Amino acid sequence: MLETTYDVLIIGAGPIGLAAGLEAQREGLSYLIVEKGCLVNSLYNYPLNMTFFSTSERLEIGGIPFTSLNAKPTRAEALEYYRRVADSAKLNINLFEEVQHLQLEGEMYRISTSKGSHLARHVVVALGFYGIPNLLNVPGEDLPKVRHYYFDPHYYFRQKVVVVGANNSAADAALETWRKGADVTMVIRQPELGSIKYWVKPDLENRIKEGEIKAYFNSSITEIREREVDIETPEGKITLENDFVLAMTGYQPDFSFLEKIGIKLSEDEKRHPQYNPETMETNLPQVYLAGVVCGGMDTRVWFIENSRDHAVKIIDHIKQEQQAEKV
């Protein structure tokens, strides 16, 4: 059986991976999008009731309108939008196929996956950062009661919940579980709340002020047990009864995958991948980065709205390269 060779293989079917597919299709390039999970897998794993900070027009890709009933679209609306984009454009996507490695063979890359292999002249790495949580690195973190992903508040009715973190995810988890009847305590390393959506922050501040949600600032969890947690506070160690720990401590790109395929990372704690910001090409020839993965550990630098143009830059560079070869 003959193996299909593509002009472009795109790793990741998130919004930016889909945008790259749309651009490749528009420019007449053969392409395949390969995704280890479902369509827009990171967005699917967002909390059930999440509302985006961005307006719908800033989440649009490929010039396809995104209409929303609300000023800020919800997770459900975003899933509907990106699914309709993929369907209406008939994007070439292989879902639930994980890329394991890529190897240069002459002028082509062989991309090995969980379901076989593909050949492509160019590769676009459009990984998100929601797949690998930042760990607490404390005893007991591997207990089933510890969750690094928060989905539905109903689950925590009448449970004693500790929420770790100071930003949007922690704020949403604390407020929603409290409103569904949980006894909520927040553990925050900083002296104050962090970056939280402007319409959510006053609500959380008031709940803490009224004592409805307890908060320990300048504090951290030191140990988790089946029915308790230990918290180090400025006043010393305290032990709380506890049913669940929601560790909303952020996420990071899959650096091990980037290193495995040969993309160089900075040696500091930021772990910035090496790429040309004009073309998005990495230190590997014909391999490009797109989306939030470009920021390394600076996961607040790139979002859907400000990285949509990565797809245009990449496909423009590939087209220019092809035209130069014909001269």
Side-chain angles (χ1 to χ4, degrees):
M1 182 177 177
L2 289 176
E3 206 166 23
T4 302
T5 300
Y6 299 97
D7 292 318
V8 189
L9 186 134
I10 300 157
I11 303 174
I16 307 306
L18 298 181
L22 289 170
E23 288 300 319
Q25 186 181 78
R26 189 169 290 148
E27 293 296 334
L29 300 175
S30 61
Y31 71 93
L32 174 66
I33 303 170
V34 179
E35 166 60 53
K36 69 178 181 180
C38 67
L39 189 74
V40 289
N41 194 65
S42 290
L43 299 191
Y44 175 77
N45 285 308
Y46 280 1
L48 182 67
N49 301 318
M50 197 208 80
T51 299
F52 282 85
F53 185 84
S54 306
T55 55
S56 59
E57 64 268 18
R58 302 191 70 185
L59 301 177
E60 293 174 357
I61 57 174
I64 301 170
F66 179 177
T67 57
S68 170
L69 297 175
N70 311 288
K72 312 281 188 178
T74 64
R75 166 190 174 274
E77 289 177 316
L79 292 179
E80 182 72 16
Y81 169 72
Y82 292 116
R83 188 175 70 249
R84 284 178 177 270
V85 166
D87 210 24
S88 62
K90 295 181 172 55
L91 290 177
N92 190 22
I93 308 172
N94 285 5
L95 298 172
F96 301 99
E97 180 174 354
E98 184 172 8
V99 173
Q100 298 167 335
H101 196 59
L102 59 89
Q103 182 70 41
L104 189 61
E105 296 184 0
E107 295 184 347
M108 295 285 179
Y109 280 97
R110 179 173 296 280
I111 299 92
S112 301
T113 77
S114 57
K115 294 184 177 179
S117 68
H118 309 280
L119 286 173
R121 179 70 184 274
H122 305 87
V123 177
V124 178
V125 180
L127 301 176
F129 69 93
Y130 206 61
I132 300 179
N134 296 325
L135 300 179
L136 298 171
N137 294 313
V138 299
E141 187 171 12
D142 58 346
L143 290 171
K145 64 185 267 185
V146 180
R147 311 286 172 84
H148 290 280
Y149 296 89
Y150 160 71
F151 188 63
D152 185 355
H154 170 84
Y155 189 82
Y156 302 99
F157 172 65
R158 291 188 180 175
Q159 302 301 295
K160 296 182 185 300
V161 176
V162 167
V163 177
V164 184
N167 297 313
N168 275 316
S169 296
D172 287 344
L175 286 168
E176 290 186 7
T177 54
W178 172 74
R179 287 201 162 91
K180 298 301 181 184
D183 178 355
V184 178
T185 300
M186 297 188 73
V187 177
I188 299 167
R189 286 189 303 175
Q190 299 89 343
E192 58 186 18
L193 295 173
S195 175
I196 298 174
K197 288 171 279 199
Y198 65 84
W199 65 91
V200 173
K201 192 171 186 177
D203 187 8
L204 181 56
E205 289 172 334
N206 288 332
R207 301 291 72 73
I208 293 172
K209 182 179 178 181
E210 296 296 323
E212 295 164 318
I213 291 176
K214 295 177 288 293
Y216 291 95
F217 293 93
N218 296 309
S219 301
S220 58
I221 285 184
T222 56
E223 186 172 347
I224 303 168
R225 295 181 293 279
E226 285 287 353
R227 302 296 301 167
E228 296 176 327
V229 295
D230 291 339
I231 303 171
E232 191 63 45
T233 77
E235 288 74 39
K237 188 181 88 169
I238 63 170
T239 298
L240 298 180
E241 290 185 24
N242 174 256
D243 298 305
F244 291 98
V245 174
L246 300 180
M248 303 289 98
T249 50
Y251 306 90
Q252 59 182 271
D254 189 348
F255 294 119
S256 62
F257 175 77
L258 297 181
E259 290 178 312
K260 183 169 69 173
I261 66 175
I263 294 177
K264 293 180 180 178
L265 305 175
S266 66
E267 296 181 2
D268 59 15
E269 70 280 0
K270 298 295 186 181
R271 311 215 72 194
H272 291 143
Q274 188 177 114
Y275 68 96
N276 181 339
E278 298 300 318
T279 65
M280 310 308 294
E281 189 172 21
T282 69
N283 57 283
L284 296 177
Q286 300 157 211
V287 176
Y288 302 81
L289 288 182
V292 295
V293 69
C294 298
M297 284 300 291
D298 285 328
T299 54
R300 296 181 183 278
V301 172
W302 295 106
F303 303 94
I304 298 171
E305 58 263 40
N306 68 350
S307 62
R308 294 175 296 180
D309 69 325
H310 291 177
V312 177
K313 286 183 179 181
I314 292 167
I315 301 305
D316 280 351
H317 186 253
I318 292 172
K319 289 293 290 184
Q320 290 170 14
E321 180 188 88
Q322 287 184 336
Q323 290 166 1
E325 288 175 355
K326 294 177 181 178
V327 174

